[in-house]
Each structure stands twice: as structure tokens, then as C-alpha cells.
């Protein structure tokens, strides 16, 4: 899309690696199953486009359909030559006596299906192979295994007893065929299931990557011993199924058959290649900022015992940061092979930092950073390192235009004709005074908070209804995050208690406080199972309720607190619920929240951070319009739009069922009219985060109008950004 001719070499018959139908792992990243405090943190750019397309076509998570989504994305791009079933086995470099002897000139590959050998010559190469086959053969500096605590000062660095490598996994799927099915295990199946300390965890309901803990190989060479590891995992899988079918402990499994077992293991870790910078544990926990940020992460630091399924320890050891973290460009190219980019799980990070950066959605945004960097390297005829030294702002701008979120990075787009000085008016703008009441009430079995975007200054009073089932006390806290761009409510500003008799009560809370900066306030209703609270069906861009509940799938037990000094923070988890749950709390505000204005359309921010960063229409304005006016006519060739596709939604591509195929905040229909009132462009049936209208002939106007609409009730129309070029 950026103009490069690309040859994509994949040694498997389908795309996707660990997320393909051959392995069937869900794609995840900073959203962490909605189990951490990273609000609106789903990865953007091409991976966002893929995930939105998949949820639109494949809300039930069929891994075969996801294969087709990936394949279609690639084959529709005319600049990509796709070579499936093709493995790289050798490469050529410049002669050793050359001044640029650290340069790859060609790679050699072989396709087993058509018995064809390929020689692929190019000025630039990217190794995203997982094991780093090209980097290894080229002599790129790499590491394998964990670093010591002393080398980088990482307090979470594991010892030899825990192990230095994460293992591989193989999963299985079962199916109810409606009649009894017997199972005769193969001779290589594990005979004594009690060899697996967690064997009692097996049950007929779990399948696919819910069995991520079926892991083995961390004590072996995870590159060269992969076939050995695979056979051991098959032994475990068929032994587990034999236990489920034939132990007598699971009569409900009588009609189940073993529908699918992986034939290649999903790999977690092998080589990690060294760039000009190695990301560390401290960078993640402290959320360090970089001048060359090109990607971000937010999965926990997630290390596993090397003995995997045979370990008597917990299958994983996850520690979260208080928000998302930045990844610098210097992690994405080899420090000693001049024309080699690195992407995926093999980037330049320590073993501990790798515990977070290794997951697929984080890998995807890194891959997009590499791709845009390659296009600029071609443009300027420079090496990856030279690009970082000379053209970083241009790279960051190019990524930003694709939707890539770059934390704490200010982007200047001098070509965008829509600036903070441009006059933008709307048929309406939401002045939020209430979240209307519904008939839905829920017990405070967990503490719950309404997140409200508050501008610098006075915090409005709030009023709401609760029902006391018996005489009790309601405790309410006002919190914020210690960093305005985070969403961890770790600073308590006020605490008020209300004695309640049995019955329904209308309560008003006055804070008498001022916020020192724009940020999200958390109106926290603390756990009390003698109280019900009233919720609202109205959903608004940049608003969400969060619960101090648990999510064991990501080591979330309500609070993160280490008993040892391992260099992580202690804090509570306050996370949203999945739709159709996840309602806002019904409440009235003493003054309107004036945070949804048209100025947000030109502030350069694509998602809620410290504020919603979106224009939102009044909820009764179901077909709103925007008018953009310049003092003098301007020439416009293209309009770019950024829509709200709910970046809080992780959109797992397998296992989960998603009740919506289109995000309720997303604009489906958009028309652009010239100053004569003529429709000159439109976007129809949209479900993506970004949309573009390219004019056949540039238009010359000083005023354009935009009409917008979407199909969802109780959700006002919103728009994150408009750009004109």
C-alpha cells in the first residue's frame, strides 16, 4: 500500500502462524481479554482492519474462516507476491572484503509443493519467521535464554530452576456427535495422566487455546528440538483425551469425539535478535518514553515455567503495568546486518520484556512499523539505522496516518488541511448531563466505577439511585490515575459514606474538588451486596463502567501485589464487562461535560486517552451533519476519516462468541457534499476504524458538509478525526 513490491515467504500452507487454523491461538495484545487497566488499547492499523473484518464475518471464531480473512487481505494487494509452503534455507551476502559485507543480497527458498527453488533478491529484508532463520544464517547478533538479573537490573529475571525458555503448545477441539463415541488411544498416548500435576484441570468443556497450558519444551532447544517437543505434546494431548473419555470421571463426554488436534506446535520462544536498543522490564513497568516510538504493547510480562505441563508451579506468571508501554524503532532492525529488519516475537528485547512483546497483536503493530520504515528506506535509499537517525518524524507521521497509536508522541501533520484553526461546526454536540435510567439494576457484588472524562477544573456533582436491601452503608470514592494517560484508578481524591435504610434512595455527591489536568475520574461504588445500583442503556464514545472483579485467565484476582521485590507495581484492576453487559451507571451531573466538541476532530488523537478525543452528536440527532469551512478555497484530493470501533474490545478471533458484528459506536454511512449541496463522495456499510474518499478530480472548495449515521439505538453518532489532503 505504501508502494513497495513485497515478496511474502511463508513456510506453511496458510497465513497467520500461531493464529492460523493449524495452531488456533487467539490474537491478543494490550487489551488482555479486557482483564487489565488498559482502556481503549486495542492495536490499530492493519491488524485492526483484520480483526474488524473477522468479527464482521466470523463472530463465532471459526479458525478456518479467519484463514480466509488473512489470505484475502494479502491476495487483494497487487504489490504482494505470496509464496506459501516455501521455506528459506540459505542466503547470500556481499563479499567479506567489501565495505558493506554485512549486507544480505538474496535469500534462497524451496517450495515442497511445486518442487521449485526460488532466489529472492532485494535491497531490504525482514525476518518475521519466529525462529529468525534469515537473521541466524546472516550472522545477526541474537540471544537465546534468559539474561541474568545483573545484566539489565531486571528483578523478575528467572533463575535456572524456573527455566530460561517458554515452551510450545498443541491444542485439541472436541465435538458432540449426538451418539456415544468410543476412543482407543494410540500407543504413544501418555499412560499415567497423573504425571501432569494439573491433570484435574482437564474437563470436556475446555478446547482450543483455552488449553494454552498444554506446554512443553522449555528445557530443550526450542528450534532444533521442535519435532521432539511436538511428539511429547501429542503424547500429552491424546493422554488427556483418553482420561476425559475413559476414566469414568466425565460421563458428559460420552457423545464427544476428538474433532481436531494440532499437527504443528505453537511456538512461544526461541531466538531474540539484538537491535540498537533492547527493551527491558523497567521500560515496560515505568512506561518509558522514547523519541523513536513506533509501536506499543500492553500484554502482561508473562513468563512460564520451563517444564510446562510437567511443572508443579502455576502455568504462567503474569505481571501487568499500569498502562500501555512504548516500543522504540531501534528494536526492529539488526544491529550488525545493515539491511535486515526484525519483527514478530524475535525483536530486540530481554527475555523478561519478551514475556510481553511476544504476543501477536503487539507483533503486528511492530510489523507495520517495519513495513512503513522499509518504504521510507526505499524512498531515501538508506539503511534501517540511517532512517532512524534522519527520518524518524516522517516515519512516525506515516504510521500515525495509518491509525497506529504512538503513546506520548506528538505528531505534526503539516499537509493536513484541517487544523485547529479550521472552522468546524456541527448540527449538534453532546452536552452530557445524564446517563438516563433504565430498568436494569444490579447488586454491588463487586466494586464498580463509572469513568467520566473531566476537564481541568471543577468536578461536577453526581446524583444516582440505589436500593438498600437492608440497613447498610454505601461507600463512594472519587479516584483518578497518577498519570493522566493511564486508566488505573490508583489515586483516591475523596471518600464519602452514606447510611441507608431499606428502600430506594436518590443520592447526590458533591466533591468540592478541582482536577489539575484533563483526565478520567472514577466514581467508585464500593462492594456491598446489600445494595443494588441502577444502570443505563445509553452508550457513549469515551465512556465506560469498570469493575474491580477478577479474570483468572490473565492472572487478575482483583489486585496485583507481589510478595517479593520483583520490580512490578501493586495496584487494583478495574475492568469493563463484555457486551451485552458493560452498561454505564445511570446518573445525573450538576453541570454538562463539555468534552465532545468538534475541536476533537483536529486534535490529532485517534482514541480516548485522557479525554474522549471525539466529536459526539446529541443523542437525539440521529443524522447529524458537520460543516468544515476555510477562509479561502482549498484544493482537496482525499479525505480520511477515523471512526470509533471501540478499542476496548479485544475481538478474540477464535473461541469467543461476539454478540455484535459491528461496533455500536461506528458510523456506517457517510456522505460528503460540496458547497452547492451536491454529494461528491460517500462511505457505505462501514464497519472499519478508517475510511477514505479519493476524488477522481481534486475539488476546490471553501466549504464542505458531512452527513453521518449509524444503526444502533441508545448510542449517539461520533467521529474521531477528519483529515484533508
Amino acid at each position: 500500500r505504501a508502494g513497495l513490491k513485497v515478496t511474502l515467504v511463508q513456510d506453511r500452507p496458510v497465513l497467520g502462524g500461531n493464529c492460523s487454523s493449524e495452531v488456533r491461538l487467539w490474537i491478543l495484545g494490550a487489551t488482555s481479554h479486557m482483564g487489565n487497566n488498559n482502556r481503549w488499547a486495542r492495536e490499530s492499523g492493519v491488524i485492526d482492519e483484520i480483526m474488524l473484518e473477522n468479527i464482521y464475518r466470523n463472530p463465532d471464531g471459526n479458525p478456518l474462516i479467519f484463514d480466509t480473512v488473512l489470505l484475502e487481505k494479502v491476495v487483494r494487494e497487487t504489490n504482494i507476491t505470496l509464496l506459501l509452503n516455501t521455506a528459506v534455507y540459505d542466503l547470500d551476502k556481499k563479499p567479506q572484503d567489501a565495505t558493506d559485507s554485512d549486507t544480505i543480497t538474496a535469500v534462497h527458498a524451496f517450495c515442497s509443493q511445486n518442487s521449485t527453488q526460488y532466489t529472492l533478491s532485494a535491497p531490504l529484508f525482514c525476518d518475521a519467521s519466529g525462529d529468525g532463520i534469515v537473521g541466524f544464517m546472516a550472522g545477526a547478533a541474537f540471544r537465546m535464554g534468559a539474561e541474568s538479573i545483573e545484566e539489565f537490573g531486571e528483578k523478575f529475571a528467572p533463575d535456572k530452576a524456573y527455566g530460561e525458555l517458554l515452551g510450545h503448545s498443541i491444542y485439541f477441539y472436541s465435538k458432540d456427535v449426538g451418539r456415544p463415541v468410543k476412543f482407543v488411544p494410540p500407543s504413544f498416548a501418555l499412560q499415567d495422566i497423573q504425571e501432569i500435576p494439573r491433570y484435574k484441570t482437564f474437563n470436556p468443556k475446555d478446547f482450543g487455546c483455552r488449553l494454552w497450558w498444554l506446554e512443553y519444551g522449555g528445557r530443550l532447544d526450542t528450534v532444533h528440538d521442535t519435532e521432539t517437543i511436538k511428539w511429547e505434546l501429542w503424547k500429552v494431548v491424546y493422554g488427556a483425551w483418553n482420561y476425559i473419555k475413559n476414566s469414568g470421571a466425565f460421563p458428559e463426554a460420552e457423545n464427544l469425539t476428538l474433532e481436531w488436534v494440532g499437527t504443528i506446535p505453537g511456538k512461544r520462544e526461541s531466538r531474540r535478535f539484538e537491535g540498537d536498543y533492547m527493551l527491558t522490564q523497567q521500560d515496560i513497568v515505568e512506561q518509558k518514553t522514547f523519541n523513536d516510538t513506533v509501536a506499543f504493547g500492553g500484554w502482561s510480562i508473562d513468563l512460564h515455567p520451563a517444564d510446562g505441563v510437567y511443572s508443579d508451579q502455576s502455568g504462567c506468571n503474569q505481571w501487568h503495568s499500569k498502562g500501555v508501554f512504548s516500543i522504540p524503532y531501534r528494536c526492529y532492525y539488526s544491529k550488525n546486518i545493515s539491511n535486515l529488519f526484525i519483527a514478530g516475537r524475535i525483536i530486540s528485547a530481554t527475555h523478561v520484556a519478551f514475556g510481553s512483546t511476544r504476543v501477536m497483536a503487539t507483533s503486528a503493530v511492530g510489523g507495520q512499523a517495519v513495513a512503513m520504515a522499509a518504504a521510507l528506506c526505499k524512498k531515501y535509499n538508506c539503511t534501517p539505522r540511517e532512517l532512524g537517525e534522519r527520518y524518524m518524524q516522517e516515519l512516525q507521521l506515516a504510521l500515525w496516518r495509518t491509525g497506529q497509536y504512538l503513546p506520548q508522541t506528538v505528531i505534526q501533520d503539516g499537509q493536513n488541511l484541517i487544523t485547529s484553526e479550521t472552522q468546524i461546526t456541527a448540527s449538534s454536540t453532546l452536552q452530557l448531563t445524564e446517563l438516563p435510567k433504565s430498568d436494569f439494576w444490579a447488586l454491588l457484588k463487586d466494586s464498580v466505577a463509572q469513568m467520566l472524562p473531566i476537564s481541568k477544573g471543577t468536578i461536577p456533582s453526581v446524583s444516582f439511585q440505589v436500593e438498600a436491601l437492608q440497613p447498610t452503608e454505601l461507600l463512594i470514592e472519587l479516584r483518578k490515575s497518577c498519570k493522566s494517560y493511564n486508566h488505573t484508578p490508583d489515586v483516591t481524591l475523596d471518600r464519602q459514606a452514606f447510611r441507608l435504610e431499606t428502600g430506594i434512595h436518590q443520592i447526590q455527591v458533591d466533591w468540592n474538588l478541582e482536577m489539575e489536568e484533563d483526565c478520567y475520574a472514577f466514581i467508585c461504588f464500593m462492594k456491598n451486596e446489600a445494595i443494588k445500583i441502577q444502570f443505563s442503556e445509553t452508550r457513549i464514545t469515551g465512556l465506560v463502567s469498570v469493575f474491580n472483579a477478577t479474570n483468572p485467565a490473565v492472572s487478575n484476582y482483583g489486585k496485583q501485589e507481589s510478595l517479593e521485590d520483583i520490580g512490578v507495581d501493586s495496584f487494583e484492576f478495574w475492568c469493563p464487562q463484555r457486551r451485552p453487559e458493560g452498561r454505564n451507571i445511570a446518573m445525573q451531573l450538576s453541570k454538562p461535560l463539555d468534552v465532545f466538541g468538534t475541536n476533537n476532530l483536529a486534535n490529532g488523537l485517534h482514541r480516548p486517552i485522557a479525554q474522549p478525543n471525539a466529536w459526539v452528536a446529541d443523542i437525539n440527532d440521529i443524522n447529524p451533519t458537520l460543516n468544515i469551512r476555510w477562509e479561502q478555497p482549498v484544493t482537496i484530493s482525499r479525505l480520511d476519516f477515523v471512526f470509533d470501533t471501540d478499542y476496548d474490545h479485544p475481538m478474540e478471533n477464535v473461541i469467543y462468541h461476539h454478540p455484535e458484528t459491528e461496533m455500536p459506536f461506528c458510523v456506517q454511512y457517510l456522505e460528503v457534499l460540496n458547497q452547492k449541496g451536491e454529494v461528491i463522495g460517500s462511505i457505505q456499510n462501514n464497519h472499519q476504524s478508517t475510511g477514505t474518499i479519493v476524488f477522481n478530480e481534486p475539488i476546490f472548495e471553501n466549504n464542505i458538509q458531512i452527513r453521518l449515521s449509524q444503526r444502533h439505538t441508545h448510542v449517539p453518532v461520533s467521529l474521531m478525526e477528519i483529515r484533508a489532503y
Side-chain angles (χ1 to χ4, degrees):
R1 293 179 179 180
L4 288 183
K5 293 287 187 180
V6 176
T7 302
L8 177 57
V9 184
Q10 164 70 309
D11 63 355
R12 303 302 306 170
V14 290
L15 295 170
N18 280 350
C19 70
S20 74
S21 61
E22 292 190 307
V23 180
R24 306 192 179 192
L25 177 64
W26 42 43
I27 296 175
L28 277 175
T31 54
S32 193
H33 288 302
M34 296 171 74
N36 62 15
N37 294 336
N38 297 341
R39 300 283 64 76
W40 302 290
R42 193 178 72 247
E43 292 73 16
S44 45
V46 172
I47 188 61
D48 176 55
E49 184 180 325
I50 289 169
M51 299 301 278
L52 286 164
E53 192 61 38
N54 183 66
I55 207 170
Y56 180 73
R57 301 184 186 188
N58 184 28
D60 294 304
N62 184 325
L64 298 172
I65 294 176
F66 187 67
D67 280 351
T68 68
V69 172
L70 293 178
L71 286 164
E72 180 184 85
K73 286 294 177 187
V74 170
V75 300
R76 290 179 67 176
E77 297 294 335
T78 57
N79 280 343
I80 298 178
T81 299
L82 175 62
L83 301 179
L84 294 174
N85 292 308
T86 303
V88 172
Y89 65 88
D90 200 0
L91 57 77
D92 298 330
K93 293 170 66 178
K94 291 284 184 71
Q96 287 191 352
D97 58 354
T99 56
D100 53 353
S101 60
D102 60 351
T103 302
I104 303 169
T105 57
V107 298
H108 303 287
F110 180 74
C111 177
S112 61
Q113 298 302 299
N114 60 10
S115 294
T116 300
Q117 178 178 314
Y118 296 91
T119 296
L120 307 171
S121 302
L124 296 165
F125 295 86
C126 175
D127 190 336
S129 63
D131 283 341
I133 183 64
V134 172
F136 177 73
M137 291 189 299
F142 74 93
R143 296 179 178 223
M144 198 165 177
E147 288 78 16
S148 67
I149 293 177
E150 293 73 24
E151 183 172 2
F152 291 98
E154 297 174 308
K155 295 182 178 181
F156 192 39
D159 57 24
K160 300 288 184 182
Y162 192 78
E164 299 186 59
L165 289 169
L166 282 69
H168 304 353
S169 285
I170 280 180
Y171 314 129
F172 64 83
Y173 276 54
S174 58
K175 180 181 180 180
D176 189 332
V177 298
R179 53 179 170 74
V181 177
K182 73 174 183 177
F183 176 67
V184 179
S187 60
F188 55 81
L190 182 66
Q191 298 301 308
D192 184 5
I193 197 67
Q194 294 189 33
E195 289 183 33
I196 299 174
R198 294 178 62 190
Y199 79 93
K200 291 185 178 179
T201 307
F202 287 116
N203 66 81
K205 295 181 181 179
D206 279 346
F207 65 97
C209 52
R210 294 191 189 280
L211 296 164
W212 58 266
W213 55 275
L214 295 186
E215 179 176 356
Y216 180 74
R219 298 287 182 190
L220 303 178
D221 181 333
T222 51
V223 177
H224 298 101
D225 291 334
T226 289
E227 282 294 288
T228 300
I229 296 169
K230 176 193 73 178
W231 277 100
E232 187 65 25
L233 287 168
W234 274 347
K235 172 182 172 181
V236 169
V237 165
Y238 287 103
W241 188 247
N242 184 40
Y243 168 64
I244 291 170
K245 287 291 291 184
N246 297 326
S247 68
F250 307 102
E252 66 271 30
E254 184 179 24
N255 291 356
L256 294 181
T257 188
L258 191 59
E259 183 182 32
W260 174 87
V261 174
T263 53
I264 63 169
K267 291 191 177 187
R268 287 183 176 85
E269 181 176 15
S270 53
R271 303 181 182 106
R272 291 170 288 110
F273 287 80
E274 295 183 24
D276 282 341
Y277 187 85
M278 288 191 72
L279 199 73
T280 67
Q281 173 186 348
Q282 297 93 313
D283 296 334
I284 292 172
V285 173
E286 298 167 11
Q287 299 173 270
K288 183 176 178 179
T289 58
F290 301 96
N291 291 331
D292 60 340
T293 292
V294 292
F296 74 95
W299 184 257
S300 62
I301 298 176
D302 181 6
L303 300 182
H304 299 191
D307 295 313
V309 75
Y310 293 119
S311 173
D312 59 5
Q313 301 184 57
S314 174
C316 68
N317 206 346
Q318 297 190 39
W319 298 98
H320 299 258
S321 59
K322 289 186 176 182
V324 300
F325 59 89
S326 301
I327 307 177
Y329 173 69
R330 288 162 290 161
C331 293
Y332 290 105
Y333 59 84
S334 169
K335 73 176 186 180
N336 66 308
I337 301 298
S338 65
N339 63 337
L340 178 63
F341 287 104
I342 48 180
R345 60 180 167 87
I346 66 173
I347 67 169
S348 185
T350 65
H351 171 76
V352 175
F354 156 89
S356 177
T357 61
R358 63 186 175 86
V359 294
M360 283 187 279
T362 307
S363 294
V365 291
Q368 179 149 335
V370 163
M372 297 304 293
L376 290 176
C377 284
K378 182 68 163 36
K379 175 181 177 181
Y380 292 112
N381 190 29
C382 66
T383 67
R385 176 180 287 118
E386 290 168 343
L387 179 77
E389 294 169 346
R390 302 175 189 173
Y391 306 106
M392 181 47 53
Q393 289 185 332
E394 186 172 348
L395 173 58
Q396 290 172 328
L397 174 58
L399 289 168
W400 195 261
R401 286 176 174 171
T402 68
Q404 190 103 312
Y405 175 48
L406 306 179
Q408 287 82 68
T409 302
V410 177
I411 303 296
Q412 301 293 335
D413 189 349
Q415 294 178 298
N416 183 9
L417 298 171
I418 299 176
T419 70
S420 58
E421 305 300 319
T422 306
Q423 182 183 346
I424 307 176
T425 57
S427 57
S428 68
T429 294
L430 178 65
Q431 298 287 314
L432 185 64
T433 57
E434 70 169 339
L435 291 166
K437 301 172 183 177
S438 74
D439 295 330
F440 185 84
W441 295 68
L443 282 175
L444 285 177
K445 60 184 183 65
D446 297 302
S447 298
V448 58
Q450 180 62 49
M451 290 179 63
L452 292 178
I454 303 297
S455 300
K456 179 180 178 180
T458 305
I459 306 170
S461 302
V462 296
S463 59
F464 48 87
Q465 279 195 333
V466 297
E467 180 182 3
L469 305 182
Q470 62 189 47
T472 187
E473 183 177 82
L474 172 64
L475 180 63
I476 298 175
E477 295 184 357
L478 177 67
R479 299 189 187 184
K480 68 170 188 174
S481 179
C482 64
K483 297 178 179 178
S484 63
Y485 49 81
N486 280 352
H487 305 110
T488 293
D490 53 352
V491 177
T492 301
L493 301 171
D494 194 10
R495 182 181 289 112
Q496 299 186 31
F498 297 84
R499 291 296 306 172
L500 304 177
E501 298 300 322
T502 303
I504 294 177
H505 302 267
Q506 182 79 23
I507 297 174
Q508 178 168 317
V509 186
D510 302 309
W511 306 111
N512 298 318
L513 291 169
E514 290 197 357
M515 287 294 189
E516 297 178 355
E517 58 185 344
D518 293 353
C519 66
Y520 272 89
F522 293 73
I523 315 298
C524 303
F525 302 82
M526 308 311 287
K527 177 180 178 179
N528 185 333
E529 295 193 38
I531 294 177
K532 285 184 175 181
I533 191 167
Q534 190 174 24
F535 285 79
S536 174
E537 296 295 341
T538 298
R539 304 176 192 271
I540 298 171
T541 289
L543 263 67
V544 69
S545 61
V546 289
F547 293 74
N548 183 219
T550 64
N551 189 339
V554 290
S555 297
N556 172 348
Y557 299 97
K559 185 176 183 179
Q560 173 170 293
E561 193 168 28
S562 175
L563 300 178
E564 305 171 68
D565 182 13
I566 57 172
V568 298
D569 292 324
S570 296
F571 56 90
E572 293 177 346
F573 293 105
W574 291 73
C575 310
Q577 294 179 332
R578 290 177 180 269
R579 288 192 294 276
E581 304 301 324
R583 301 168 181 85
N584 289 306
I585 298 171
M587 58 177 58
Q588 296 81 43
L589 307 176
S590 61
K591 66 173 185 177
L593 291 185
D594 186 16
V595 295
F596 301 104
T598 57
N599 58 300
N600 292 325
L601 295 170
N603 72 359
L605 299 174
H606 303 147
R607 61 180 65 203
I609 305 173
Q611 294 284 275
N613 297 317
W615 162 75
V616 180
D618 186 87
I619 196 164
N620 296 314
D621 189 358
I622 60 173
N623 294 296
T625 59
L626 291 164
N627 279 280
I628 303 175
R629 182 180 296 277
W630 293 268
E631 290 186 4
Q632 300 294 329
V634 294
T635 301
I636 303 173
S637 300
R638 186 178 92 240
L639 291 170
D640 292 343
F641 300 90
V642 181
F643 308 109
D644 180 10
T645 53
D646 189 6
Y647 279 112
D648 233 21
H649 195 320
M651 296 187 178
E652 294 91 346
N653 55 303
V654 294
I655 301 289
Y656 279 79
H657 166 72
H658 303 289
E660 297 156 333
T661 59
E662 300 171 343
M663 296 303 100
F665 309 100
C666 184
V667 168
Q668 277 91 38
Y669 301 96
L670 180 151
E671 289 183 333
V672 178
L673 292 77
N674 62 16
Q675 54 200 36
K676 296 179 181 178
E678 302 166 332
V679 175
I680 55 175
S682 66
I683 296 173
Q684 306 290 326
N685 296 310
N686 174 59
H687 53 270
Q688 290 286 343
S689 298
T690 60
T692 296
I693 295 174
V694 178
F695 300 108
N696 293 330
E697 296 290 337
I699 62 172
F700 187 65
E701 303 278 342
N702 70 341
N703 183 65
I704 59 173
Q705 185 182 86
I706 300 165
R707 296 175 180 167
L708 311 100
S709 64
Q710 47 94 342
R711 290 188 282 264
H712 296 273
T713 57
H714 306 297
V715 183
V717 173
S718 66
L719 189 64
M720 306 298 296
E721 187 174 36
I722 312 172
R723 300 191 302 269
Y725 301 99

